[in-house]
Amino acid sequence: SSIPVICVDGPTASGKGTLAAVLAEKLGYHFLDSGSLYRITGLAATRAGIPLDIANEAAIVALLNTLPIHFEGSHIWLGNEDVSELIRTEEAGMNASKVSAFPAVRSALIDLQRNFRQLPGLVADGRDMGTVIFPEAALKVYLTASAACRAERRLKQLISKGIPATLDSLRADLEARDARDSSRTVAPLKPAQDALLLDNSELTVDTSVQTVLDWWQSKQ
Ligand code: C5P
């Protein structure tokens, strides 16, 4: 496909979501928040009372295949329920990380993700956008920040939403999630060979966005 794709991969709370969404808006491209698909899968399985255990992989995929998932701007719907907020909790993130390690869950989501590649272009945010889903993407960014920075940002986000949290437990959670995401056998979190690395620990969002836009310009 000649439809342009920019991949933004990286660990939890590195600012991928923000960066990717701003890029998509500036370029007028579509936006794929691939993590939301794993979050919805975890939510639906938990609601159905299915323990998030590899032994239940087939049951979780069967359930996933029946889910009426719809994207509408930045909102995500499960049938007629707007789950956009529900899936953003730390617990939902941890559950997403569990189901995302199941190979059949990942395969079941491949086509859905590739279908987001539509004109005039796509910015895709995740863990394996550049390594598995869009391996031929023209620009792959691997966004990182120190664990301390990431925990601090997540704390600010949660507090601004009135959700109580502590720095220590957030840092422990995100390190546990990173460890699981990096060590799984299928599509582990790692930079694609041709990814450009960006550590935004010391950068503002604007500077990160401008850096990636400059990279994108230089590819045209
Ligand atoms: O990016 P986000 O925090 O929403 O992702 C939630 C979880 O979903 C991640 O911790 C990761 O385990 C999983 N995920 C994944 N592959 C992606 C996107 C997310 O495995 N492309």
Side-chain angles (χ1 to χ4, degrees):
S1 167
S2 61
I3 300 175
V5 182
I6 300 176
C7 298
V8 183
D9 289 304
T12 302
S14 58
K16 301 181 307 295
T18 305
L19 175 70
V22 175
L23 283 173
E25 197 184 322
K26 293 214 175 222
L27 295 165
Y29 284 7
H30 298 278
F31 173 51
L32 167 61
D33 167 13
S34 61
S36 67
L37 297 170
Y38 296 98
R39 287 172 181 266
I40 286 179
T41 306
L43 175 76
T46 305
R47 280 180 170 177
I50 307 174
L52 307 182
D53 195 290
I54 186 72
N56 299 319
E57 184 182 34
I60 294 170
V61 170
L63 173 66
L64 170 56
N65 286 329
T66 68
L67 295 180
I69 303 172
H70 304 287
F71 289 83
E72 211 182 270
S74 61
H75 285 253
I76 304 160
W77 296 77
L78 202 48
N80 53 19
E81 181 188 7
D82 184 345
V83 293
S84 320
E85 289 291 318
L86 258 181
I87 60 168
R88 304 261 54 105
T89 66
E90 291 303 297
E91 191 194 353
M94 202 54 93
N95 288 340
S97 173
K98 288 180 188 161
V99 297
S100 77
F102 305 159
V105 168
R106 302 200 73 84
S107 320
L109 289 169
I110 291 177
D111 289 345
L112 180 56
Q113 295 175 85
R114 290 190 178 146
N115 286 339
F116 275 78
R117 186 177 199 166
Q118 289 183 24
L119 285 169
L122 174 68
V123 182
D125 154 5
R127 301 292 185 293
D128 64 341
M129 298 299 95
T131 51
V132 175
I133 305 298
F134 303 110
E136 70 303 344
L139 177 60
K140 301 175 184 177
V141 179
Y142 191 83
L143 191 68
T144 56
S146 68
C149 258
R150 292 186 285 131
E152 197 103 27
R153 287 180 193 157
R154 184 50 60 89
L155 183 68
K156 279 193 192 139
Q157 260 176 19
L158 292 174
I159 299 232
S160 74
K161 289 190 206 160
I163 302 169
T166 67
L167 196 59
D168 285 351
S169 74
L170 285 174
R171 182 165 173 164
D173 277 4
L174 68 86
E175 285 178 334
R177 193 126 71 88
D178 288 351
R180 187 189 293 110
D181 292 348
S182 307
S183 64
R184 68 186 175 217
T185 49
V186 181
L189 171 66
K190 63 163 187 221
Q193 252 171 10
D194 50 349
L196 300 179
L197 305 191
L198 182 61
D199 183 323
N200 70 3
S201 304
E202 309 288 331
L203 303 181
T204 63
V205 173
D206 284 352
T207 310
S208 302
V209 168
Q210 199 49 55
T211 304
V212 177
L213 285 175
D214 290 347
W215 285 343
W216 187 233
Q217 281 300 319
S218 71
K219 300 267 179 192
Q220 309 301 302

